[in-house]
């Protein structure tokens, strides 16, 4: 099927950045700088300063960021970690793979964990909360940090979809970005994230020097590169130097790209907000901003709506039609999470990327209006 409007345009982006990306490629190739070189260190510094933390540690993927964070927090056998019922499966898999139990909590209308339902999920075994900032919109971290403090829980933010999003801290009136609230913020640079590599990539951000040091060792088989001493059984999960070089170039443009995403979102909002059967991702909390990693609408017509768009040449995603806890092999407890059940039938992510042309956005809008005027 040939699409009229694609979900993302990596080819267009490459044409825009070609000079810079090619130069970075030639520099890394000509020097043979593949592992743990200055490009990685520079990107880590720039990422930490963008997020507003003291440290960033580049890892191989978002999954690794979650996994290493849980280990840094000492979470393992017999522990419970609270995680939303609506997220990418990696959030829960990282918890299972350190031997702990994910305790699922339903989400609210903004697709993020329902803060009103967290306390009832806490037991004497609960060690941590893993809020997931989905689609580019942060969880209510003010509330989550209050709960964590009250019950003495560690917070590990799965911020893989929300680089650049922020929330105002009422105490100080300062905006604190996603990934700078918890013990760690976990990032993914999977190609189609808001900051995408050309292959897998990830990172953690943290203000804790011990956590940063732990991650630097664990990503390199537990080894301290200066002394050669192994400080534990580790993993091979370092962010490639080449990917770091590409990411550092793209990071400079991120604020501009986020502005463009917000303009695209505003265009969708203005043109679609009168359709009753369509719920748009615009929320009322003035303390939080949205970076629109994804523009996820909820259509009462579900698959019929998504198929109509696809049949008219618009590439859309339906994440996730089948909630992860309904996959039998994962052996997770299904407590019948009503909001997750309902939204998973209705979600549809519209094309959203900074390279979208105005006439392409207009086309998407016209097809949606045609669907609802049938
Ligand atoms: C992408 C993503 C991950 C995993 O990232 P990878 O880099 O693919 O391992 C985890 N959580 C969420 C919410 C994500 O969107």
């Amino acid at each position: 099927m040939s699409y009229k409007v694609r979900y993302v345009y990596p080819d267009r982006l490459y044409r825009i950045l070609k000079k810079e990306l090619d130069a970075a490629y030639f520099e890394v190739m000509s020097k043979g700088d593949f592992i743990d070189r200055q490009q990685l260190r520079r990107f880590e510094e720039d990422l930490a300063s963008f997020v507003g933390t003291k440290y960033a540690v580049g890892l191989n993927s978002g999954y690794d960021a979650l996994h290493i964070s849980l280990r840094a927090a000492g979470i393992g056998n017999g522990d419970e970690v609270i995680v939303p019922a609506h997220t990418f499966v990696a959030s829960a898999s990282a918890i299972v793979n350190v031997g702990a139990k994910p305790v699922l909590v339903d989400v609210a209308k903004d697709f993020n964990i329902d803060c009103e339902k967290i306390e009832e999920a806490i037991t004497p075994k609960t060690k941590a909360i893993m809020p997931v900032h989905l689609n580019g919109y942060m969880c209510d971290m003010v509330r989550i940090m209050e709960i964590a403090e009250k019950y003495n829980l560690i917070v590990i933010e799965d911020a893989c979809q929300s680089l650049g999003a922020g929330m105002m801290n009422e105490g100080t009136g300062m905006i604190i970005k996603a990934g700078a609230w918890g013990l760690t913020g976990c990032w993914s640079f999977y190609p189609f994230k808001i900051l995408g590599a050309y292959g897998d990539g990830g990172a953690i951000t943290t203000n804790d020097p011990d956590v940063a040091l732990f991650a630097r060792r664990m990503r390199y088989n537990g080894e301290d590169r200066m002394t050669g001493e192994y400080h534990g059984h580790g993993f091979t999960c370092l962010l490639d130097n080449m990917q770091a070089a590409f990411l550092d170039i793209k990071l400079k443009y991120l604020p501009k790209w986020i502005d463009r995403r917000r303009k695209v979102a505003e265009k969708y909002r203005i043109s679609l907000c009168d359709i009753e059967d369509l719920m748009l991702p615009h929320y009322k909390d003035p303390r939080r901003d949205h970076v629109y990693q994804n523009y996820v609408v909820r259509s009462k017509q579900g698959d019929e709506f998504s198929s109509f768009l696809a049949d008219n040449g618009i590439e859309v995603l339906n994440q996730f039609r089948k909630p992860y806890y309904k996959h039998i092999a994962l052996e997770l407890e299904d407590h019948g999470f009503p909001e997750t059940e309902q939204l998973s039938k209705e979600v549809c992510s519209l094309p959203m990327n900074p390279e979208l042309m105005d006439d392409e956005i207009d086309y998407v809008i016209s097809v949606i209006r045609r669907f609802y005027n049938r």
Side-chain angles (χ1 to χ4, degrees):
M1 146 131 230
S2 82
Y3 287 107
K4 288 200 177 73
V5 185
R6 302 299 307 255
Y7 192 72
V8 288
Y9 287 98
D11 49 341
R12 285 183 193 171
L13 188 58
Y14 178 59
R15 282 201 293 279
I16 296 167
L17 299 178
K18 183 171 172 22
K19 250 173 113 170
E20 284 180 89
L21 292 174
D22 289 359
Y25 169 83
F26 285 117
E27 193 194 353
V28 169
M29 288 298 279
S30 61
K31 297 203 175 112
D33 282 348
F34 304 123
I35 305 288
D36 199 6
R37 295 299 173 90
Q38 60 173 16
Q39 285 84 350
L40 176 60
R41 266 162 255 149
R42 205 184 306 141
F43 173 63
E44 288 174 337
E45 270 172 34
D46 291 340
L47 179 66
S49 102
F50 181 84
V51 173
T53 54
K54 290 203 182 93
Y55 311 98
V57 182
L59 300 168
N60 186 59
S61 68
Y63 169 80
D64 287 315
L66 296 165
H67 175 217
I68 298 283
S69 295
L70 289 161
R71 287 189 181 267
I75 290 163
N77 280 329
D79 297 333
E80 292 179 359
V81 179
I82 290 173
V83 67
H86 175 59
T87 175
F88 181 53
V89 66
S91 317
S93 296
I95 297 166
V96 171
N97 287 340
V98 297
K101 180 184 168 193
V103 174
L104 278 54
V105 169
D106 205 1
V107 293
K109 296 284 183 220
D110 63 3
F111 300 107
N112 285 330
I113 194 164
D114 186 340
C115 291
E116 299 312 312
K117 297 191 174 139
I118 292 176
E119 284 188 90
E120 63 203 47
I122 294 172
T123 77
K125 291 180 176 171
T126 309
K127 279 280 167 59
I129 308 177
M130 184 185 284
V132 181
H133 310 308
L134 218 62
N135 301 320
Y137 190 69
M138 282 183 63
C139 302
D140 181 348
M141 285 308 291
V142 172
R143 183 81 193 96
I144 288 172
M145 295 310 285
E146 269 169 19
I147 297 169
E149 205 158 301
K150 179 169 165 195
Y151 294 91
N152 197 21
L153 304 175
I154 294 161
V155 175
I156 293 170
E157 296 175 71
D158 180 339
C160 289
Q161 295 193 5
S162 291
L163 186 58
M167 177 167 188
M168 191 189 289
N169 190 346
E170 277 129 338
T172 59
M174 300 260 289
I175 303 281
I176 299 178
K177 284 211 176 111
W181 295 73
L183 179 68
T184 65
C186 300
W187 305 102
S188 167
F189 309 119
Y190 182 77
F192 304 124
K193 303 284 161 131
I194 196 161
L195 180 69
Y198 295 91
D200 279 311
I204 62 171
T205 47
T206 182
N207 285 313
D208 186 321
D210 295 333
V211 169
L213 183 62
F214 178 85
R216 280 185 210 289
R217 288 170 173 169
M218 285 299 123
R219 70 181 177 177
Y220 221 117
N221 301 97
E223 186 182 352
D224 183 323
R225 298 289 291 164
M226 302 303 278
T227 63
E229 184 74 13
Y230 296 116
H231 289 270
H233 290 287
F235 309 89
T236 304
C237 57
L238 181 72
L239 177 63
D240 281 348
N241 203 58
M242 181 82 84
Q243 297 297 349
F246 295 148
L247 288 166
D248 203 39
I249 291 167
K250 293 177 96 177
L251 182 58
K252 286 187 307 210
Y253 294 94
L254 190 59
K256 204 176 95 187
W257 292 338
I258 290 171
D259 281 350
R260 175 64 187 158
R261 284 174 183 270
R262 289 189 176 133
K263 293 213 170 74
V264 176
E266 191 53 16
K267 219 162 146 60
Y268 281 142
R269 187 190 68 78
I270 288 169
S271 313
L272 299 171
C273 65
D274 61 315
I275 300 172
E276 246 169 60
D277 281 359
L278 202 62
M279 205 188 291
L280 305 178
H282 298 268
Y283 311 111
K284 300 249 171 326
D285 187 346
R287 300 168 304 166
R288 282 180 274 177
D289 56 12
H290 207 314
V291 297
Y292 297 103
Q293 146 103 51
N294 304 309
Y295 193 88
V296 187
V297 302
R298 284 174 64 167
S299 165
K300 286 242 159 33
Q301 287 68 33
D303 273 332
E304 204 194 328
F305 174 82
S306 295
S307 305
F308 188 81
L309 268 64
D311 291 345
N312 283 281
I314 298 167
E315 188 178 26
V316 294
L317 299 181
N318 304 316
Q319 282 179 331
F320 301 94
R321 272 291 182 265
K322 182 176 175 180
Y324 69 93
Y325 56 82
K326 287 191 182 290
H327 294 250
I328 304 295
L330 302 188
E331 299 181 12
L332 296 165
E333 286 170 14
D334 177 356
H335 295 297
F337 309 100
E339 194 64 38
T340 300
E341 295 267 308
Q342 191 58 35
L343 74 85
S344 59
K345 295 188 188 98
E346 300 176 348
V347 285
C348 176
S349 304
L350 303 184
M352 169 54 80
N353 61 77
E355 291 73 52
L356 268 184
M357 313 277 192
D358 283 342
D359 60 342
E360 290 165 337
I361 305 165
D362 291 339
Y363 179 72
V364 175
I365 290 165
S366 73
V367 170
I368 294 173
R369 295 216 70 97
R370 187 141 44 89
F371 176 81
Y372 279 107
N373 288 334
R374 288 169 312 168

